[in-house]
Amino acid sequence: MLKHLLTIAGSDSSGGAGIQADLKTFAAHGTFGMSVITAVTAQNTQGVTMVQNIKPEVVEAQLEAVFTDIRVDAVKIGMVSEPEIIRTIAKCLRKFKPEIIVVDPVMISKSGFDLLEPRACQTLIEELLPLATLLTPNLPEAEAIAQMKVESKEQMRPVAEKILSLGCRAVLVKGGHLADTADDLLFDGKEELWFAGERIHTKNTHGTGCTLSSSLAANLAKGMSLTEAVKASKAYVTEAIAYGIELGKGCGPTHHFVDLYRKAGILDTEG
């Protein structure tokens, strides 16, 4: 049965992250993608220059339109900038009760642009974390949520424990910002699982977090266990980074359709 995936996130005009990356990832996993747009960003490979948040009532109307007509097998939540938007999303998710919710707590773009207003962080913690099947913070995001510093792999477990205590069912703390390792930690309160991270020397990593969280949502919707989903999604993202696309003047996007292009005989290894 074809799975239906919903992304709730911001739009990236350059197509490498946000809604666009999510929909490409859903398609690459053989699922049907739908979207609720929370913000429109003026963005390219060099950074974000402007953000226009969508009115909460428009966000709610999008959510109602999808949920009242179409079965939603999993939800991925990305950029949600304002407290009012976050409360609206949480209200609708409590109403419609989707089984799987993956939250990627997007806070700052790679170029340093704030994508989550400081006043909205606490709202995200209070409203969305208790609804999350899985939370996927990188280290700066984990630090902001847990209010704890992470400077080593050994400090990731205490941070994961603190985040889990805030209400999510599981957390994947991504270790890519550490100097000596790129390992990720999956913690559900019972089991601590580490996944080795492979460092690929490339600047073309735009949209990596969006792509990983969308892949996780798709794999969970397809019936994988949390551990299986993390393994499969990390493998997918690693290959997408390895074949990252040389686009624009800055950090190009990951390649969401490596397998499809390879099968079609059109995989461009030169970028």
Side-chain angles (χ1 to χ4, degrees):
M1 180 173 63
L2 181 67
K3 298 298 182 181
H4 307 159
L5 276 288
L6 174 64
T7 169
I8 306 171
S11 169
D12 171 7
S13 48
S14 69
I19 288 284
Q20 288 81 355
D22 298 341
L23 292 175
K24 290 172 186 176
T25 303
F26 293 160
H29 286 69
T31 65
F32 182 80
M34 305 169 288
S35 65
V36 168
I37 298 176
T38 60
V40 174
T41 71
Q43 183 174 175
N44 58 27
T45 64
Q46 299 178 87
V48 180
T49 56
M50 187 177 290
V51 172
Q52 174 66 63
N53 290 310
I54 303 300
K55 292 180 179 179
E57 55 266 33
V58 179
V59 173
E60 182 170 9
Q62 293 177 80
L63 286 161
E64 289 277 346
V66 172
F67 276 105
T68 57
D69 182 48
I70 303 167
R71 186 190 77 249
V72 177
D73 296 302
V75 173
K76 173 265 168 82
I77 302 175
M79 178 185 173
V80 286
S81 314
E82 297 180 334
E84 296 79 9
I85 292 175
I86 293 170
R87 293 190 190 99
T88 297
I89 293 168
K91 179 184 74 173
C92 289
L93 293 179
R94 286 193 292 266
K95 175 181 177 181
F96 293 109
K97 298 179 174 56
E99 185 177 348
I100 297 164
I101 301 174
V102 176
V103 178
D104 183 24
V106 179
M107 295 184 180
I108 301 173
S109 72
K110 275 188 173 64
S111 60
F113 196 100
D114 286 335
L115 299 177
L116 178 72
E117 296 179 7
R119 65 192 179 102
C121 186
Q122 189 59 35
T123 309
L124 185 147
I125 291 169
E126 294 172 357
E127 296 283 347
L128 291 183
L129 258 66
L131 302 176
T133 306
L134 178 64
L135 191 77
T136 63
N138 60 29
L139 291 187
E141 292 160 351
E143 288 179 337
I145 292 168
Q147 291 294 292
M148 296 168 66
K149 198 69 179 169
V150 186
E151 296 176 331
S152 68
K153 181 176 176 178
E154 290 71 31
Q155 292 175 314
M156 289 172 65
R157 167 66 185 260
V159 166
E161 290 177 341
K162 176 64 182 296
I163 292 174
L164 204 71
S165 74
L166 298 172
C168 58
R169 284 160 51 187
V171 58
L172 179 68
V173 181
K174 299 177 290 188
H177 284 77
L178 291 176
D180 57 345
T181 181
D183 294 353
D184 300 338
L185 169 62
L186 176 65
F187 185 63
D188 64 0
K190 300 174 184 176
E191 196 170 10
E192 171 185 337
L193 292 173
W194 288 92
F195 298 84
E198 179 184 346
R199 286 199 187 276
I200 299 171
H201 297 289
T202 175
K203 63 181 176 63
N204 300 321
T205 58
H206 184 51
T208 301
C210 305
T211 300
L212 176 65
S213 54
S214 296
S215 175
L216 286 163
N219 284 327
L220 290 170
K222 290 162 69 175
M224 289 188 187
S225 69
L226 206 50
T227 302
E228 291 170 339
V230 173
K231 287 180 180 177
S233 294
K234 279 183 64 65
Y236 169 73
V237 170
T238 297
E239 186 167 53
I241 293 172
Y243 288 91
I245 300 169
E246 283 289 343
L247 188 74
K249 300 173 183 176
C251 298
T254 61
H255 197 319
H256 297 93
F257 297 110
V258 173
D259 279 350
L260 181 63
Y261 278 41
R262 182 182 287 122
K263 289 173 183 175
I266 56 174
L267 185 62
D268 183 3
T269 57
E270 300 300 321

